[in-house]
Amino acid sequence: MNIKTIDINKFKRIVFFTGAGMSAESGVPTYRGEGGVWHEYNWREYACQEAWETDPEKVFDFHDLRREEALKCFPHKGHEVITAIQEVHANVLVVTQNIDGMHQRAGSNNVIELHGSIWRVRCDREGWVKDDLNHGPFEKRKCDCGACLRPDIIWFSDMLDPNTVQQADAAVSQCDLFISIGTSGVVWPAAGYPQLAKSTGALCIELNPQPSEQSLIYDRVYKGKAGELLPQLFNM
Ligand code: NAD
């Protein structure tokens, strides 16, 4: 494929917008696609507030499994390219829909996690959120106050955290280079970001083996895998 390489020094603010396809290449299953998690598990029993209120242990068991599966996978060359760009450019943000922490494991530090993280828990009674980086299952399922902890993840029907959304909105609307990787563009409000970036004048590029719902919005669409296209795009 003929890829026109990007000189990062020509851009002031760069946003990498990533979805499940970015991690799929590391081996983390997507939710809906081929081999997707929701073919095996019904999200109504594992990934919504109602499921957690009905049977928190079952929901925790499911998310323990997600953590264990994620730990068997490793960042790929595409993650490394993003981290390398962050190391040499002052204004590079990752806005991800992924909850698996793979960007951070690749060494990225400026990561906005729109849909939360399987590496955090929160106590809704006391109102705190904390890292739980135990290398395996969640360390604790109960808060000292007696309430059941909750994986800090946006489940079906949950509202996104307003502060996180505000940060992501600001980053996307102010960037001059927006690169979308591995997202089908069907999960809202994240699916609105390509249009937002485009409307504020950013150069918008999509990397995906398949067309997405938003492909027509982009200035350039490159068909292929993140781990192969990112090194080519940035000549790394
Ligand atoms: P999606 O599953 O709807 O779409 C995945 C996209 O990735 C598809 O368009 C597919 O063509 C593309 N893709 C597959 N392999 C790729 C590769 N090697 N390189 C580049 N692209 C590739 O994903 P979504 O748009 O992120 O929406 C799904 C939702 O599920 C999100 O809300 C996300 O939070 C959540 N999710 C997260 C994880 C994770 O944390 N790893 C995994 C599954 C789902």
Side-chain angles (χ1 to χ4, degrees), residues 19-21 25 28-29 31 97-100 115 182-184 208-210 226:
E25 200 170 331
V28 181
Y31 283 164
Q97 298 167 81
N98 297 340
I99 58 172
D100 55 24
H115 296 162
T183 175
S184 59
N208 198 315
Q210 307 289 332

Side-chain angles (χ1 to χ4, degrees), residues 18-25 28-33 37-38 97-101 115 181-187 207-212 224-227:
T18 65
M22 183 76 186
S23 292
E25 200 170 331
V28 181
T30 58
Y31 283 164
R32 297 178 190 75
V37 171
W38 303 143
Q97 298 167 81
N98 297 340
I99 58 172
D100 55 24
H115 296 162
I181 310 152
T183 175
S184 59
V186 295
V187 177
L207 312 181
N208 198 315
Q210 307 289 332
S212 76
K225 293 181 172 181

